[in-house]
Amino acid sequence: MVFELLDPKIQKVLREKDIREPTGPQRQAIPHILKGEHVLLVAPTGIGKTEAAMLPILHMLLRSGGKGIKCIYVTPLRALNRDLLRRLEEFGKALGLEVAVRHGDTPQSERNRQSRKAPDVLITTPETLQIMFSGKRLREHLANVRFFVVDEIHELAEDERGAQLAVAMERLIKEAGEFQRIGLSATVGSVQEVANYLGGAERKVTSIRAHVAKDMRVTVQSPGVSDEDKDLAGTLQSEPQLVSCMRRCRQIIEAHRSTLLFVNTRDTAEALAARYHVWDDGFPVGVHHGSLSKETRIEMEESFKKERLKGLICTSSLELGIDIGSVDFAIQYNSPRQVARLIQRMGRAGHSVGAKSEGAIVASTPDEIAESLVITRKSTKEELEPLRIRENPLTVLANQIVAMAMVGMVEKEEAYHILTRSFPFRNLTKETFEGVLEQLGRIGLVFIGENDYRRSSRGMRYFYDNLSMIPDERSFRIRELSSRKIVGQLDESFVVSFAEPYATFITRGRSWRIVEMKEDELLVEQVKEIGSIPSWVGEDIPVPYDVGTEVGRLRRLRNFEDYAGDEEAVGKLRRYLEEQSKEAKVPTDQLLTLEMGRKLAILNCCFGSKVNETLSKLLSVLLSARIGESIAVHTDPYRIVLELPRDIRAVTIIDTLKSIRSENVEGLVRLVIKNSSFLRWRFVHVAKKFGAVEKEADYQSINFNRLFEAYDGTPMYDEAVARVLWEDLDLEGTAKVVRQIETGELQVDVTPLTPIGRAGLEYSKELIAPQRADHSILMALKNRLEDEQMFMTCINCKAQWRLKVRDAPRHIHCERCGGKMVAALHSYNKDDARLLSNKDLGEEEEAEVRRMYKNASLVNKNGKKALLCLAGRGVGPDTAARVLAGYHENEDEFLREILSAEITYARTKKFWD
């Protein structure tokens, strides 16, 4: 037995914990780790992966002495760190080894203690590891590292955090020399790719894939709608079908002791929790997701663990191995979108060795039913999505170039060598490395010499602002008025577009009313009504191409007996397809159908999220260019919906679709995305991670056109395009589909509107405009602007009057005093003019004002800013206009500056007052 290979002290602890037999993964992995091999252990959740890695490491630590950190254990989540510390501390205390945790929430006193006396085992996150390289004493402790464990490595490997960690492992070699690497992964589709990531470009990794007899039973359910559901739908402000799904979920939760209810997005979690509490405030269900405060998440975890809550509605925040006690059932609300997610989520039920995982997918629509059936079948056959690791993410390259310079001068050749030893950068060219380095030099983050470089003071600020590679969006804390507790956070995009005093929204499964808005937080109070559901960045999970095409095949073959659906779910899907067949052909994996309605076209195509998104971009842009008018487009995994400016013949759309050539797909997509919202969002993230845009910069205030012009053709721009192509679109899958259309393997049939087409008319849309604005757009814009009503305000006498743009004379002046300094204000700031105040100045003070304006102008190179400098010293625009009359070379420009400055000054004064 492998436990006999371990130190007697460890065997004693195992006996005290009543652990008599090793699990399969432990039996397979421990001998390899004891031999000093780099090991990747792939196994389902809940079968002792942590002990499989740490028991042999603890054995080797007992056999060796020395000071400093000997083992680093990296996890993707702080919550996992808390659990690990509790579990490993029990072993550490019994064996005389110190285990500690260090992350963003670690108190300063504990950090200081670790710097003075390092633990033997340090549990941390990728971001905290970055900081450890920059401290002299911590680097000394890192010199003793002999083991490096990456938990939940599949969660890190495929994104930028993973690339950052891969480089960190290579940087650690400079401090500690070579060390043993162990990766722990849930069941994943590309084991070798993850092993390559763990080992880097030069090391062999032993992959152990443990097939554990952990029975997983999952059924797809879709309850029918009862009269009671219809009555309740009004109270819950929801559709009867969704209420019936809620009822089924509630029945399951009440029939079990502890149930996790997984949803795909945070807003869905909040919507369900809020409606359950409106339905029955005593129903013991909580909510858990990443935008709740740490205190709220811990409270929910503890309440669930102690069975004060029977159900917990959660997102991917509870997919990983966080200890939440015994779970005897898992529900997935609607399709999980991906096979790996279903396996991970259902594995949380029966989260112990040998326990059976029981779960259900409760689906609300026929599309959701079909997708869930396919994903359930693929999960039982372990047909997981391939995990792909992106090469050369330039944001990470920029981040690590600066990070390496935090400890002093860096040789270019040494930095390049460290980077290319990591798997994501194994094919990095010298040209690309030099290009990014030069870009950072132009931005001002580094000073570049002939053979080396060093960071600037701005580079140091950049480093600490960008420890994490997670996309930044400013967030607002939500503070409860009565208790002063933080209950969660909201993304800036939601706050800017929605939040105002007395508005209501949902978080923590409850409705809250905004009492007061502060600079970085909202004061709220709880209310009983159903509020608006917040939106958060990065929510949607894409449906893979293989899942989409199998849904199409299921529609064609209707072999429902091969899938695990209950009678209600299969019956509902069967009736949906039969109803479709009565009206037109059913779109499948071999047939596209184009449904034509009034100013509407729906292309039914079962290719998944990213291929449909890519195809929609190409089709809508080419069609818009062809007809010279704008087209609104939105997609889902099974259809592309085109909202047309006028009725267009089907043959025009089909010809446009067939005009796309497979070999031209990438070139066309690169042209198309230049004006897309995808690129704007990604480019802002890239610009922030390169340090070209400040971390706290407001997304709405950024001039995208100027930003694009300034950085077009640079590594930063190329990275933004590459990220869109990698994360949002699918070039390979789209080219495959286009080839099938070219060869006739995929047929296209024209039909009127059908049930399948109408099912896709509920999603958000994006407007695709032609290269130049068409006549209808220009006329609509002209009419809208001419109807705008302005509040004209005389700066001299403060007289105000209303004036529509279309009625404005060429030269505007005040009828009361004849003054020409007239401001055009919106209704919401028409009172700002009253806030303007001015000092009476003597001759010497007037001379001082002129001197101040001249100096401020020289410094700012901007008249408006100079006037604001004066305003900050109590000199209002009226006084500035009088004292500086004739001083400015261009009187018209000066008047414009004064008008602009006085509005800004008024708002600023109002804010401070």
Side-chain angles (χ1 to χ4, degrees), residues 837 839 852 864-877 901 904-906 908-909 912:
S837 61
K839 288 181 178 178
M852 286 163 54
K864 177 184 172 182
K865 287 185 179 178
L867 290 164
L868 286 172
C869 289
L870 297 183
R873 301 192 184 192
V875 181
T904 307
Y905 170 63
T908 305
K909 188 174 187 299
W912 287 114

Side-chain angles (χ1 to χ4, degrees), residues 792 794 801 809 811-822:
M792 312 307 296
C794 177
W801 65 97
H811 298 288
I812 299 175
H813 65 273
C814 176
E815 295 290 344
R816 183 192 292 177
C817 70
K820 294 182 179 180
M821 293 184 66
V822 178

Side-chain angles (χ1 to χ4, degrees), residues 528-780:
K528 286 292 185 185
E529 63 193 81
I530 293 181
S532 296
I533 303 168
S535 59
W536 286 279
V537 174
E539 286 283 272
D540 292 335
I541 301 170
V543 175
Y545 172 80
D546 288 344
V547 170
T549 52
E550 186 169 337
V551 168
R553 188 162 67 251
L554 175 60
R555 288 178 178 179
R556 176 168 55 88
L557 301 176
R558 304 190 191 183
N559 52 332
F560 303 115
E561 64 278 1
D562 296 337
Y563 296 86
D566 71 3
E567 190 175 332
E568 283 181 307
V570 170
K572 190 177 292 185
L573 179 57
R574 194 191 301 274
R575 289 191 296 275
Y576 176 66
L577 296 177
E578 288 171 352
E579 186 181 348
Q580 173 74 16
S581 298
K582 290 176 184 175
E583 298 188 26
K585 291 180 180 178
V586 176
T588 68
D589 57 327
Q590 297 178 357
L591 176 69
L592 309 183
T593 62
L594 179 63
E595 302 185 14
M596 300 302 298
R598 181 168 175 75
K599 295 185 180 181
L600 181 72
I602 303 171
L603 183 66
N604 294 303
C605 41
C606 303
F607 304 133
S609 304
K610 290 186 177 182
V611 170
N612 280 6
E613 190 65 55
T614 312
L615 197 59
S616 76
K617 290 276 185 284
L618 296 176
L619 178 60
S620 57
V621 167
L622 292 174
L623 191 59
S624 177
R626 190 165 186 166
I627 66 175
E629 295 188 73
S630 299
I631 293 171
V633 59
H634 53 98
T635 69
D636 65 47
Y638 307 104
R639 52 190 71 75
I640 297 168
V641 180
L642 303 170
E643 295 187 24
L644 307 170
R646 52 186 167 82
D647 288 337
I648 296 172
R649 292 193 308 153
V651 68
T652 303
I653 298 173
I654 293 173
D655 287 347
T656 304
L657 177 65
K658 291 184 175 180
S659 71
I660 305 170
R661 309 255 57 91
S662 55
E663 63 271 17
N664 297 334
V665 165
E666 182 172 351
L668 273 173
V669 169
R670 286 182 177 275
L671 285 173
V672 164
I673 62 175
K674 279 198 169 186
N675 295 317
S676 72
S677 58
F678 280 149
L679 185 60
R680 291 190 170 208
W681 183 254
R682 296 295 183 196
F683 192 73
V684 170
H685 167 67
V686 170
K688 287 182 177 182
K689 292 304 176 188
F690 263 79
V693 173
E694 293 298 321
K695 179 182 179 181
E696 297 299 325
D698 179 1
Y699 179 81
Q700 293 186 321
S701 68
I702 295 169
N703 186 322
F704 291 105
N705 292 332
R706 291 189 62 183
L707 200 60
F708 283 162
E709 288 172 12
Y711 292 105
D712 191 14
T714 65
M716 199 166 81
Y717 185 87
D718 294 342
E719 168 68 1
V721 172
R723 285 198 63 181
V724 170
L725 297 179
W726 179 266
E727 297 184 20
D728 301 315
L729 306 175
D730 182 352
L731 297 180
E732 187 180 333
T734 305
K736 180 179 178 181
V737 167
V738 172
R739 271 194 301 274
Q740 290 175 327
I741 294 173
E742 288 172 350
T743 61
E745 193 177 337
L746 272 172
Q747 296 293 316
V748 184
D749 197 57
V750 180
T751 74
L753 287 179
T754 70
I756 283 182
R758 287 191 290 268
L761 298 177
E762 300 171 359
Y763 295 84
S764 61
K765 63 185 178 182
E766 177 184 351
L767 189 67
I768 297 295
Q771 198 66 29
R772 295 180 180 180
D774 56 64
H775 182 73
S776 61
I777 289 176
L778 292 174
M779 288 302 99

Side-chain angles (χ1 to χ4, degrees), residues 76 123 131 192 212 240 303 313 482 528 624 667 751 811 830 857 883 903:
I123 304 165
I131 299 178
Q192 191 55 50
V212 180
S303 295
I313 303 171
S482 57
K528 286 292 185 185
S624 177
T751 74
H811 298 288
K830 61 185 175 66
S857 295
V883 174
I903 299 297

Side-chain angles (χ1 to χ4, degrees), residues 38-41 148-150 153 157 166 169-170 179 181-184 192-201 203 205-206 389 423:
H38 303 301
V39 172
L40 171 66
L41 175 58
F148 198 101
V149 183
V150 185
I153 191 171
M169 286 192 280
E170 302 305 327
F179 46 83
R181 304 178 182 208
I182 295 130
L184 306 177
Q192 191 55 50
E193 187 84 346
V194 179
N196 292 340
Y197 165 82
L198 177 65
R203 298 167 197 85
V205 174
T206 302
I389 296 173
F423 185 70

Side-chain angles (χ1 to χ4, degrees), residues 835-905:
L835 298 168
L836 301 178
S837 61
N838 298 277
K839 288 181 178 178
D840 290 326
L841 305 181
E843 288 185 11
E844 291 183 4
E845 289 175 307
E846 289 185 0
E848 176 66 10
V849 167
R850 294 189 186 99
R851 188 188 65 77
M852 286 163 54
Y853 176 75
K854 183 177 180 181
N855 290 342
S857 295
L858 288 172
V859 171
N860 290 297
K861 309 293 184 187
N862 180 306
K864 177 184 172 182
K865 287 185 179 178
L867 290 164
L868 286 172
C869 289
L870 297 183
R873 301 192 184 192
V875 181
D878 280 4
T879 303
R882 178 175 56 78
V883 174
L884 298 174
Y887 186 83
H888 202 283
E889 294 179 6
N890 187 325
E891 187 175 348
D892 288 341
E893 183 182 340
F894 180 59
L895 287 174
R896 281 196 298 274
E897 287 175 356
I898 290 232
L899 287 172
S900 180
E902 68 90 5
I903 299 297
T904 307
Y905 170 63

